[in-house]
Amino acid sequence: MQPLSPPGWRFIDDQGTFELEAPQENNYLYFPLVNQAGMISSLTPTFNGDAKIGQNAYLLLPVSVEDLHTSRAGRNFWVRVNGVPWSVTGNSAAQMAHSLSADPETVALRAGLLWQTVTRQHPDLGLRAEVTAFVPAGEDCVELMRVALTNCGEGALTLTPTAAIPIFGRSADNLRDHRHVTSLLHRTTCHRHGVLVRPTLSFDERGHAPNQLTYAVLGADGDGRPPAGFFPLVQDFIGEGGTLDWPRAVVAGLPAEQAEGPVEPGYESIGAIRFADLTLQPGQTARYVLLLAILPDPPEVDALLSRYGSAERFEERLAETRIRWSEKLAGLHFSTGEARFDGWLQWVTLQPALRRLIGNSFLPYHDYGRGGRGWRDLWQDALALLLTEGEVVAPLLLDSFAGVRPDGSNATIIGNQPGEFRADRNGIPRVWMDHGAWPLLTVKLYLDLSGDLDFLLREQAYFKDHLSHRCRQIDPLWTPEQGTRLRTAAGELATGTVLEHLLIQHLTAFYNVGSHNTLLLEGADWNDGLDMAAEKGESVAFSALYAANLRTLGELCLALVGRGVRDTLLAEEVLPLLDLNTGPVDVASVEAKQGRLQAYFDLVGHALSGEKQRVLLADLALDLLAKADWLREHIRQQEWVTDQEGFGWFNGYYNNVGQRVEGKFFGRVRMTLTGQVFTLMGGVATDQQAQDIALAVDHYLYDESLQGYRLNTDFGEGLLNLGRAFGFAFGHKENGAMFSHMAAMYANALYRRGLVREGWKVLEGIYQHSQDFARSRMYPGIPEYFNARGRGMYPYLTGAAAWYLLTLLTEVYGVKGQLGDLVLEPGFAPGQFALADRLEVRTIFAGKRLEIAYLNPGRLSSGDYRFVSASVNDRPLEIELGAARVIIPRREIEAWPDHTRIVIQFDRKR
């Protein structure tokens, strides 16, 4: 990898802190701030953005990404300098009009984990402003801002400071649904430190209910002293004919006549806080602290101010927050030989933690949904959590199985509390056919890291609501009063082992086939845009993953046998899905499979009998392995396509009229990356087919301008028999974008098949394009995708981060588990040792913090090197000389110190 020094951001330390000059010259940039208490903020270099704790509780005006440069309702702080109005955040009409002039203001952004500072210097007045914002770690739903004003000139400056932060104070639904009417609910008061808004009612789609939240904008000077007065109503602050970016109260220097006490009710509110006039001598600095808070009843305003309301408290909380986030990332750290790559990886490591706290809503690009994480997101992010936090994630995994329905489908939205599930964010019944596959991938990683096979035998409940038969039917016997836990016919809680949950997810999928005997696409698979083929569509791509998972389940059953576990209890309703005590199903018959599945659905539509039967794990394993082998061979033989140019790949889909999607049609090649990823990853592709796929993908899907692989070729317009994705412009989102998540999984699949050079090309391409600010226009991290112009879209909240980290650790650095034992089997590609002959990684395994270093004096790549020595804490470790893989038993690791260093030295193969 060659280091680049492009224009744009640069790291200034080894903690991920970066700087960007003139950030305001780039649209669509925003930074997330969040804490465990549920405060979620976004802010641009000009401090636009919003702050909220959920869909129905927005402190600031809700924004989508286009609002970031059109809305005037951002966080603002004004100073009237010798009679001249100036916004320290750049949000004045005069500054925006002159932002592209020959002598613009000097602006620089500095950001870290998780805080943002923007410094702005007036070109004429000699005044510099530094504005820092963060959301403190802890239990308060509050965002903090500090404004520091420094006189850099030679003469004294007379300043009149005024904070101005509009308070939305209600549900995002009210942005256009009763916007004015809901302002009539506002009851605004002035505390001695700021403006409080407590609406009388919460007025949204849930109905009318007494409001229990107070929205606050509070302020103090650096010593904690209160402001001089307030302008608590928007229309009084801006004045007739005024605007938020040129308010009369500031421009005309109006006095702040509102003091502590009640304010006229029924109007839009603003935290417009006037501080006392001051004269700033050359070299002097004045500081102000603002608190943007959402408070439950009763609002403890004074207690909040005591914790945050001074420059000293602000600095203390900022230091604590930096430490908290650094500790969260300490479990996984890479030293790649390139400092820029190392720093970028810290932000990638942060991303799964952000999605766990934020979900897939509530950031400007993610302007959909109503909060909560999706089912797939839960399991994808847990992959990274296992890498960064270790085996302590097990309770989360166990709780999550309570979202599985007995028909193999699942609740699609995960709430904020353990075991809290909903059918869908908008009450729409829909089944994503891939959902049943992800839990096993995560559980297998956990089992490999921990060796805790007993986890498979732990009991968990099932999810129950009004939907049955994979959301194709309504259960007329269910009522909300019965709750969301499946019951037996006797009314008792129905539970099953984790193994039983996994079996149900995979066996129901195995039988749920279309006319080509691959799994029905249903509402969609991983690609949400393939949502218009619910009747006859099939996902060959994910059929391959389910086939691999069936084999994994069979192998896990045999592993349990090896640990002395002879049998397991299964609900008697599950047994017809197995060829054990019932007559075998003709797996080649679509009708037979569908009939067996329908009979099972009828059995579990409302309740389970409560009866269980013992099944020998060895017999269960044989049945699962047979099903896996049949499905693998079926795909391998039936779905391989070739073209006249000699390229070959797997068809990934059938559309809603039962036609094969991939191949060459009317002179146009149709190919999906998804169809290749899981046939590679799942072992469906032979070794020769794997090589052929890599060649075909390079030929048809690689885009040099994006340094990556498109999700599909251009299929043409309007494939209404497959999905909405093909109504999108080609090169955007699910229609042919360089989609980071699938690209990262493609890299993982290539590594698993021994195609190291090809896999590294994918990973390096994602990094190189992401960090190339001139093209990606994004802060450090991985976006959901890159659009047709190369811009990084939907940053921070993407499953790509988890798969990138997983692949880098387990395949590139080769640090992985094998049912509790540690395996070191690196796959370094040519060029990875170009900048250093030593690569390192810090990670957690068996509760130990490991530092693993690979020494490669000859700078060799995978296939050329062998291990010649190994040590643990400077003591020799016995290895097989000449091997490129070492297994260390868990019992040895458990005797190691909590912090252990492993060093492996390479030499050329002989």
Side-chain angles (χ1 to χ4, degrees), residues 705-758:
S705 69
L706 299 173
Q707 295 176 277
Y709 295 84
R710 293 188 177 275
L711 195 55
N712 54 269
T713 56
D714 189 353
F715 283 19
E717 292 287 335
L719 274 69
L720 299 182
N721 55 19
L722 188 54
R724 71 174 188 263
F726 299 101
F728 301 156
F730 179 68
H732 295 264
K733 226 171 188 311
E734 289 99 342
N735 185 17
M738 204 298 278
F739 219 92
S740 304
H741 191 174
M742 190 55 65
M745 288 192 285
Y746 179 51
N748 186 275
L750 289 168
Y751 273 101
R752 291 192 191 196
R753 301 308 300 269
L755 299 173
V756 171
R757 292 169 183 255
E758 294 83 351

Side-chain angles (χ1 to χ4, degrees), residues 373-700:
R373 285 176 295 156
W375 177 263
R376 187 187 306 118
D377 310 329
L378 167 71
W379 298 97
Q380 300 277 296
D381 296 342
L383 291 171
L385 292 173
L386 282 165
L387 303 181
T388 57
E389 301 182 17
E391 300 158 24
V392 296
V393 179
L396 168 67
L397 303 184
L398 183 61
D399 287 341
S400 301
F401 276 102
V404 177
R405 292 191 185 96
D407 62 9
S409 65
N410 51 266
T412 58
I413 295 298
I414 289 80
N416 295 324
Q417 301 303 317
E420 181 186 354
F421 301 99
R422 299 196 302 275
D424 191 50
R425 57 169 56 96
N426 296 314
I428 301 171
R430 183 177 174 190
V431 173
W432 284 261
M433 63 80 63
D434 65 305
H435 277 187
W438 301 111
L440 180 57
L441 297 184
T442 305
V443 168
K444 182 58 164 58
L445 177 62
Y446 167 71
L447 297 177
D448 279 336
L449 293 175
S450 68
D452 180 21
L453 284 171
D454 287 343
F455 180 81
L456 295 170
L457 305 178
R458 295 180 193 175
E459 293 279 324
Q460 183 54 277
Y462 289 93
F463 182 67
K464 176 61 184 162
D465 59 2
H466 64 293
L467 301 170
S468 69
H469 295 65
R470 292 183 73 84
C471 297
R472 298 171 196 159
Q473 293 187 23
I474 300 295
D475 176 9
L477 301 178
W478 183 85
T479 63
E481 292 72 25
Q482 294 173 13
T484 57
R485 291 289 182 266
L486 182 70
R487 299 281 168 177
T488 67
E492 297 176 349
L493 185 67
T495 63
T497 63
V498 169
L499 177 60
E500 183 182 90
H501 284 68
L502 291 167
L503 288 171
I504 288 173
Q505 288 180 306
H506 288 81
L507 292 171
T508 53
F510 178 78
Y511 288 99
N512 192 33
V513 295
S515 60
H516 300 87
N517 217 338
T518 53
L519 279 57
L520 285 170
L521 182 56
E522 299 181 281
D525 61 9
W526 170 90
N527 188 335
D528 286 346
L530 305 184
D531 57 352
M532 299 174 70
E535 290 77 28
K536 295 184 179 180
E538 298 173 51
S539 175
V540 181
F542 278 90
S543 298
L545 180 57
Y546 277 102
N549 279 1
L550 284 166
R551 170 158 290 278
T552 297
L553 279 172
E555 292 169 348
L556 288 174
C557 289
L558 294 177
L560 282 168
V561 173
R563 295 276 181 96
V565 182
R566 182 173 179 272
D567 54 33
T568 187
L569 284 171
L570 295 179
E572 67 174 8
E573 290 87 349
V574 177
L575 297 183
L577 300 180
L578 298 164
D579 295 335
L580 299 177
N581 300 327
T582 57
V585 175
D586 179 4
V587 293
S589 169
V590 171
E591 293 76 14
K593 280 183 171 178
Q594 292 175 341
R596 183 65 61 93
L597 184 62
Q598 184 63 38
Y600 171 76
F601 285 163
D602 292 342
L603 287 174
V604 301
H606 177 66
L608 298 184
S609 67
E611 298 297 323
K612 294 179 179 287
Q613 291 192 27
R614 289 199 173 274
V615 174
L616 292 174
L617 285 168
D619 292 345
L620 179 56
L622 289 175
D623 185 73
L624 294 169
L625 293 172
K627 287 180 168 62
D629 289 345
W630 182 89
L631 185 51
R632 180 193 63 201
E633 289 302 316
H634 176 72
I635 297 170
R636 184 180 288 173
Q637 299 300 324
Q638 300 298 320
E639 301 300 339
W640 184 253
V641 298
T642 58
D643 65 8
Q644 293 176 345
E645 285 72 26
F647 292 104
W649 66 94
F650 279 101
N651 170 53
Y653 294 95
Y654 287 91
N655 63 24
N656 211 33
V657 292
Q659 296 171 331
R660 176 175 282 177
V661 168
E662 299 188 48
K664 194 164 187 178
F665 302 90
F666 307 106
R668 186 192 296 268
V669 170
R670 291 180 177 174
M671 179 184 188
T672 69
L673 185 60
T674 313
Q676 316 323 308
V677 166
F678 296 108
T679 48
L680 285 170
M681 188 183 294
V684 170
T686 65
D687 290 344
Q688 183 58 54
Q689 286 174 326
Q691 295 179 34
D692 291 344
I693 286 171
L695 291 173
V697 169
D698 260 15
H699 184 74
Y700 287 120

Side-chain angles (χ1 to χ4, degrees), residues 167 187-198 214-220 224-232 256-263 270-275 289 291 293 295 298-306 309:
I167 300 174
R187 299 297 182 267
T188 304
T189 58
C190 287
H191 181 276
R192 68 183 184 281
H193 275 276
V195 180
L196 309 177
V197 177
R198 190 184 188 284
T214 296
Y215 303 90
V217 174
L218 307 168
R225 291 186 293 262
F230 312 97
F231 301 91
E257 298 178 346
Q258 176 70 47
E260 185 176 357
V263 176
I270 184 171
I273 301 172
R274 170 67 55 77
F275 292 95
V289 175
L291 288 67
L295 303 169
E300 298 179 353
V301 177
D302 291 336
L304 194 75
L305 286 161
S306 70

